């Protein structure tokens, strides 16, 4: 009895020292974060979804926008420092498109789902990196959840927004070049969605059904019955919940990245034929002066292929961290150089 008690006490001591243990996808290749953001202001399960804004003339001054789903929108520089916080209530998901035609101007627009006001919140990002709230479009559906943008035909800014009941609505945000949103249509799926992303170059919408898998369809509500399941939860690459989605556009390849929340990994797919490539996980980085913990139970993600300089010359992968340990603080976002993902892709090919 004494010996068993000693073993149990030792296990508790080790857990306290090294932090909680997580169920990882054992085949996922580790990639390392180099920066983590300031924790979001709210405690408990608060950080949710990031988006990346690329500075038009100096990419080193680019921004990461991140939702605090209890309070509003946080704005970070590439060093992870919070430089703005816009209090708007319970913002869940956020997305960005740049160079949108509005009233004869080219604007950079961010949108977020606002659960407090049941609205699509619209923000403008100035060339100086200042983010300001512009307007809200109230929706008829309750329990708003995910949102993603589509720059259709290089002119229209379209938002796909969903709720926990499975409704998806398609909104044209800038009809005739004015920010007077108009709903174009809607469709319903069988269970809860959230994460989505649109490939503007192919006019294709990808969205997750959290307990089922990843769907693709033409980015038009009228084609919802033509959607195709490209991967399924439990088939080997995805573990519920299916969460954040983002697309990395390389020179010869576009890659869909999907957060597989149940096993703390991210599945990558070649969008030329929707084939699975690899899974990666964000591991703790303790190299040199960099001390950044990994990411677990990730909700939202964002990627960009822009050259941000230095370690981020090949682009950036941003992930929400559901725990943020060492030290234990409010949730935050981890920044991973895309080159680490490319190295993982190369190493997997070498093993084939």
């Amino acid at each position: 009895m004494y010996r068993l008690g000693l073993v149990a006490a030792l296990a508790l001591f080790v857990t306290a020292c090294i932090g909680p243990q997580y169920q990882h996808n054992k085949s996922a290749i580790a990639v390392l974060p180099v920066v983590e953001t300031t924790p979001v202001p709210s405690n408990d399960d608060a950080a949710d979804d990031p988006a990346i804004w690329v500075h038009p003339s100096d990419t080193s001054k680019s921004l990461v926008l991140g939702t605090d789903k209890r309070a509003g929108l946080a704005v970070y520089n590439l060093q992870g420092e919070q430089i703005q916080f816009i209090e708007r209530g319970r913002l869940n998901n956020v997305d960005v498109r740049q160079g949108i035609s509005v009233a004869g101007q080219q604007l950079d627009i961010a949108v977020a789902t606002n659960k407090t006001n049941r609205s699509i919140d619209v923000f403008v990002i100035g060339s100086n990196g200042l983010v300001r709230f512009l307007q809200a479009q109230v929706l008829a559906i309750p329990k708003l959840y995910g949102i993603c943008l589509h720059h259709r035909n290089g002119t229209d800014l379209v938002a796909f927004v969903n709720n926990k009941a499975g409704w998806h609505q398609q909104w044209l945000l800038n009809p005739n070049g004015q920010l007077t949103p108009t709903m174009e249509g809607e469709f319903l799926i069988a269970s809860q969605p959230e994460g989505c992303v649109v490939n503007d170059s192919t006019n294709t919408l990808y969205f997750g059904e959290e307990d089922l898998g990843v769907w693709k369809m033409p980015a038009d509500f009228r084609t919802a019955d033509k959607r195709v399941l490209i991967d399924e939860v439990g088939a080997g690459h995805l573990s519920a919940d299916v969460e954040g989605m983002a697309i990395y556009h390389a020179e010869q390849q576009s890659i869909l990245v999907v957060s597989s929340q149940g096993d703390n990994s991210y599945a990558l797919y070649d969008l030329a034929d929707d084939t699975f490539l690899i899974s990666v996980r964000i591991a703790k980085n303790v190299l040199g002066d960099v001390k950044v913990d990994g990411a677990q139970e990730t909700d939202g993600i964002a990627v960009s292929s822009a050259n941000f300089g230095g370690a981020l010359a090949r682009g950036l992968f941003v992930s929400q961290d559901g725990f943020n340990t060492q030290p234990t603080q409010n949730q935050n976002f981890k920044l991973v150089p895309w080159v680490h993902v490319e190295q993982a892709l190369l190493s997997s090919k070498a093993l084939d």
Side-chain angles (χ1 to χ4, degrees):
M1 183 71 72
Y2 172 77
R3 188 172 182 181
L4 288 173
L6 183 61
V7 170
L10 181 60
L12 287 172
F13 174 76
V14 170
T15 298
C17 290
I18 66 175
Q21 301 301 293
Y22 310 103
Q23 183 64 45
H24 285 293
N25 178 342
K26 293 181 180 179
S27 65
I29 301 172
V31 296
L32 300 180
V34 296
V35 171
E36 61 181 333
T37 67
T38 302
V40 296
S42 302
N43 58 15
D44 296 325
D45 183 21
D48 194 279
D49 188 46
I52 299 167
W53 174 77
V54 181
H55 192 284
S57 59
D58 184 351
T59 56
S60 68
K61 296 179 180 177
S62 298
L63 303 173
V64 173
L65 282 61
T67 58
D68 179 327
K69 59 189 176 187
R70 296 176 182 272
L73 184 68
V75 182
Y76 308 96
N77 59 26
L78 295 184
Q79 291 72 51
E81 300 163 331
Q82 181 185 301
I83 57 176
Q84 270 187 273
F85 191 85
I86 302 170
E87 295 184 2
R88 284 292 304 160
R90 296 182 296 143
L91 298 188
N92 199 71
N93 279 24
V94 61
D95 201 7
V96 170
R97 284 294 187 276
Q98 299 182 225
I100 304 302
S101 178
V102 177
Q105 303 180 68
Q106 298 296 304
L107 300 182
D108 294 350
I109 301 288
V111 299
T113 42
N114 188 323
K115 292 183 177 181
T116 300
N117 299 324
R118 205 166 72 182
S119 65
I120 299 173
D121 280 11
V122 180
F123 303 83
V124 174
I125 309 170
S127 59
N128 59 357
L130 182 67
V131 181
R132 63 182 178 89
F133 169 73
L134 186 63
Q135 65 184 48
Q137 174 63 46
V138 176
L139 306 188
I141 56 174
K143 298 182 179 179
L144 297 182
Y145 219 32
I147 195 168
C148 55
L149 289 174
H150 175 28
H151 197 181
R152 185 173 63 192
N153 302 323
T155 55
D156 296 341
L157 183 63
V158 174
F160 290 91
V161 59
N162 60 56
N163 77 347
K164 289 191 174 184
W167 282 104
H168 290 70
Q169 291 190 342
Q170 178 176 317
W171 283 80
L172 175 58
L173 299 183
N174 66 333
N176 301 313
Q178 303 298 317
L179 280 176
T180 54
T182 302
M183 193 180 83
E184 296 185 318
E186 59 188 357
F187 62 93
L188 178 67
I189 63 171
S191 65
Q192 181 171 306
E194 184 178 9
C196 64
V197 66
V198 179
N199 186 345
D200 291 341
S201 62
T202 62
N203 299 312
T204 305
L205 169 66
Y206 300 85
F207 66 90
E209 193 168 351
E210 290 192 347
D211 292 332
L212 180 62
V214 178
W215 294 97
K216 83 165 185 179
M217 58 179 270
D220 186 329
F221 70 96
R222 293 169 294 188
T223 64
D225 61 341
K226 295 180 173 61
R227 61 185 182 272
V228 176
L229 194 66
I230 67 172
D231 204 356
E232 191 170 359
V233 166
H237 310 133
L238 298 172
S239 179
D241 290 346
V242 173
E243 290 284 344
M245 296 187 180
I247 297 175
Y248 180 91
H249 294 284
E251 294 86 350
Q252 303 296 325
Q253 187 180 42
S254 291
I255 296 173
L256 174 68
V257 186
V258 179
S259 170
S260 174
Q261 192 178 64
D263 60 7
N264 303 296
S265 69
Y266 312 87
L268 277 65
Y269 303 84
D270 185 340
L271 292 188
D273 53 10
D274 304 323
T275 55
F276 171 77
L277 296 171
I278 60 170
S279 289
V280 299
R281 62 184 178 88
I282 299 178
K284 178 172 62 177
N285 189 346
V286 294
L287 301 176
D289 294 331
V290 177
K291 301 288 189 296
V292 182
D293 60 302
Q296 294 82 30
E297 290 196 10
T298 293
D299 285 320
I301 60 174
V303 298
S304 173
S305 59
N307 181 353
F308 299 102
L312 304 180
R314 292 290 298 164
L316 175 62
F317 173 23
V318 183
S319 169
Q320 182 261 5
D321 180 12
F323 286 93
N324 192 26
T325 59
Q326 301 175 343
T328 299
Q329 297 176 308
N330 289 348
Q331 295 176 345
N332 68 353
F333 302 90
K334 304 306 197 248
L335 278 62
V336 177
W338 185 261
V339 68
H340 293 185
V341 179
E342 290 183 324
Q343 290 165 353
L345 286 163
L346 288 172
S347 67
S348 70
K349 290 179 180 178
L351 295 174
D352 289 343

